[in-house]
Amino acid sequence: QVQLVESGGGLVQTGGSLRLSCTTSGFTFNNYAIGWFRQAPGKGREGVSCSSAGDFNAVYADSVKDRFTIIRDSAENTVHLQMNNLKPEDTAVYFCAAEPVLILMRPCVPSDFRSWGQGIQVTVSS
């Protein structure tokens, strides 16, 4: 049974940093793509960054390129999202997601993934 638990969210000022973690269990970590998504109030869920199964190739939304980094730790079966230079428009609930065998060569979308965590709030104050 795929389980995904997000942690590390909170309140930060504009320009600050946060590191989200997605602790995974119930599947073979290296065989799954892992993605980070977010949903702001009144908006749809959008892809932030995803890491492919196997080679861990990373893809990013244009809005977070050069600010966010997805990091896979195979020893801990955990995926981190390092978020730097945060902006108020990054405020959202952040979700991690998992999908077997998925290889991504373009920014990820929610329909790419079937297993989801419960989400965690990130708030960036201006």
Side-chain angles (χ1 to χ4, degrees):
Q1 180 182 355
V2 174
Q3 291 192 336
L4 307 166
V5 179
E6 300 95 341
S7 61
L11 174 65
V12 64
Q13 291 185 331
T14 296
S17 297
L18 278 176
R19 186 177 177 104
L20 302 182
S21 298
C22 176
T23 303
T24 76
S25 61
F27 60 93
T28 303
F29 183 77
N30 290 0
N31 292 349
Y32 274 61
I34 306 292
W36 283 100
F37 295 80
R38 66 187 182 187
Q39 188 164 12
K43 294 188 177 181
R45 194 169 297 188
E46 64 173 358
V48 175
S49 178
C50 295
S51 170
S52 292
D55 66 359
F56 296 177
N57 179 61
V59 292
Y60 295 90
D62 287 343
S63 59
V64 305
K65 278 180 182 176
D66 301 323
R67 298 191 298 123
F68 290 11
T69 304
I70 190 168
I71 303 162
R72 290 184 70 143
D73 183 344
S74 295
E76 298 292 332
N77 289 346
T78 298
V79 180
H80 305 286
L81 184 68
Q82 178 65 43
M83 306 186 294
N84 297 329
N85 190 22
L86 283 160
K87 305 175 181 180
E89 51 264 42
D90 295 318
T91 295
V93 177
Y94 283 70
F95 300 87
C96 68
E99 181 66 22
V101 195
L102 179 62
I103 305 297
L104 290 158
M105 301 299 289
R106 48 124 176 104
C108 45
V109 296
S111 59
D112 290 331
F113 292 81
R114 288 174 288 176
S115 297
W116 292 84
Q118 80 287 354
I120 194 163
Q121 179 69 44
V122 171
T123 302
V124 184
S125 62
S126 56

